[in-house]
Amino acid sequence: MHFKDNKRNKLKQKMDNGQLIICVGTDSLQEIQLCQQLNCDMILVYPTAKYSNATNRFLAGYLAFDNTNDLMLESSKEMFSILDNTNLLISVNCSDPFMVPNIILKQFKELHVAGIHNYPSMSLVDGNFGANINSRKLGFDMEINMLKTYSDQNFYTCAMVRNTKQAILMTRANVDMLIFYLGLGHNKSSKRYNKTTKLEDDITLLKEMSAAVRTISSEIPLLFFSEHVNTIDDIKKIIKNVPNINGYCLMPVAQSSISARQLELEILQLQKITY
């Protein structure tokens, strides 16, 4: 059985059993090996290791430092020479105007890549700048088209989305997994910061997005990630209050530092959650 079908079946079984799907986003070889040892369901690989001194490597990958697709190809060659590529989804900058889709698709096939996810994603770029990008055909539409192409070529595809419209479009494009990204962390010293209110807002948004997707597909796994949801109790509360959510995405790549032991403990705690 092909990896894509096998993974779909395994995740569907976990969903039927009420077991939390656990995804980890990282750029660290050590963290990838740890995640594989702990049997994480999916590992999103980011080409951001060289930004390790940045406050947030995840966001640094959006800036004009390097060509992220070239970095991903380079690091994939190194990783796949010593790692089992099972459960690894590598990032693709689908809106790169200088990318030749057929060439990079061929390169990923030669590396025996199992699947891809959309990073950096224009879904995070909003406001006037985001509108200008989309109007120049350099935005989210390119990600939809690319992920559909990869899905049709039997790659397992995972899409990060920010709102209901994006979630619906990606679901109709036949992606295999969605991750709802709820936003950046907050300055807790700010007088405007209210963790309880923010958590309730997240729950409301997740209910809206997940319900919309479920009108199209009952089987696509729906995960979420938020930089301000950072305790097991918060994650449990969201899982309890949003019945359509199936999993959580840990993102050590979005943190300035996290020890291997901390990551291991978080994964082990998540694996105990059922819904």
Side-chain angles (χ1 to χ4, degrees):
M1 182 181 293
H2 191 274
F3 171 84
K4 181 184 176 84
D5 296 326
N6 187 43
K7 178 52 63 177
R8 277 181 164 179
N9 291 339
K10 285 185 176 180
L11 295 184
K12 177 65 165 58
Q13 186 176 17
K14 290 198 73 169
M15 291 166 62
D16 291 343
N17 293 335
Q19 296 174 285
L20 196 70
I21 295 170
I22 300 168
C23 180
V24 178
T26 180
D27 56 15
S28 162
L29 181 59
Q30 180 187 19
E31 289 175 353
I32 291 172
Q33 291 173 319
L34 175 61
C35 292
Q36 290 187 329
Q37 291 168 10
L38 294 174
N39 295 317
C40 290
D41 298 297
M42 202 66 75
I43 304 166
L44 308 182
V45 183
Y46 291 85
T48 52
K50 69 181 299 181
Y51 312 142
S52 58
N53 291 327
T55 303
N56 186 311
R57 303 194 304 279
F58 175 74
L59 291 182
Y62 279 77
L63 303 178
F65 297 148
D66 286 286
N67 183 309
T68 52
N69 286 330
D70 287 347
L71 285 175
M72 192 71 259
L73 282 166
E74 181 181 339
S75 58
S76 295
K77 290 175 184 177
E78 297 171 357
M79 288 180 181
F80 291 172
S81 65
I82 56 178
L83 280 176
D84 178 1
N85 69 348
T86 303
N87 293 356
L88 298 185
L89 303 188
I90 64 174
S91 64
V92 178
N93 181 1
C94 303
S95 56
D96 177 2
F98 300 108
M99 175 181 62
V100 181
N102 290 339
I103 292 178
I104 196 168
L105 180 66
K106 181 175 181 291
Q107 290 172 316
F108 286 145
K109 280 186 174 181
E110 291 172 349
L111 286 170
H112 302 290
V113 168
I116 69 161
H117 63 104
N118 56 330
Y119 174 86
S121 172
M122 293 301 103
S123 64
L124 267 65
V125 183
D126 52 17
N128 290 333
F129 185 49
N132 286 332
I133 289 175
N134 284 316
S135 70
R136 299 297 189 276
K137 307 301 181 184
L138 297 173
F140 197 69
D141 286 348
M142 290 185 70
E143 296 175 39
I144 296 170
N145 294 334
M146 280 287 288
L147 264 65
K148 185 178 189 309
T149 298
Y150 276 82
S151 182
D152 292 343
Q153 292 289 324
N154 274 330
F155 286 88
Y156 193 92
T157 52
C158 173
M160 179 171 66
V161 296
R162 285 291 306 277
N163 56 48
T164 300
K165 180 181 178 180
Q166 292 173 358
I168 289 173
L169 290 172
M170 280 295 188
T171 305
R172 288 175 175 165
N174 201 34
V175 297
D176 298 293
M177 176 187 287
L178 288 180
I179 296 177
F180 300 133
Y181 181 75
L182 300 177
L184 304 177
H186 292 261
N187 182 357
K188 296 183 180 181
S189 63
S190 170
K191 293 180 180 179
R192 299 179 61 186
Y193 177 76
N194 186 312
K195 180 176 180 179
T196 301
T197 301
K198 183 58 186 158
L199 197 60
E200 294 301 326
D201 289 344
D202 286 344
I203 289 172
T204 299
L205 179 58
L206 284 173
K207 282 182 176 179
E208 177 187 325
M209 290 192 290
S210 60
V213 171
R214 286 290 177 245
T215 64
I216 304 170
S217 171
S218 61
E219 297 188 356
I220 183 172
L222 302 179
L223 285 70
F224 76 97
F225 165 69
S226 171
E227 290 187 34
H228 51 79
V229 176
N230 49 23
T231 70
I232 293 297
D233 287 341
D234 288 347
I235 295 169
K236 286 181 177 179
K237 182 175 181 179
I238 288 177
I239 295 296
K240 179 181 179 181
N241 286 279
V242 189
N244 288 317
I245 290 295
N246 312 112
Y248 179 72
C249 184
L250 274 168
M251 289 285 244
V253 73
Q255 302 179 36
S256 57
S257 64
I258 182 172
S259 70
R261 182 56 180 163
Q262 285 176 302
L263 179 59
E264 179 180 7
L265 289 174
E266 287 191 61
I267 293 170
L268 291 175
Q269 285 180 302
L270 288 171
Q271 288 176 335
K272 295 177 182 177
I273 298 176
T274 57
Y275 59 92

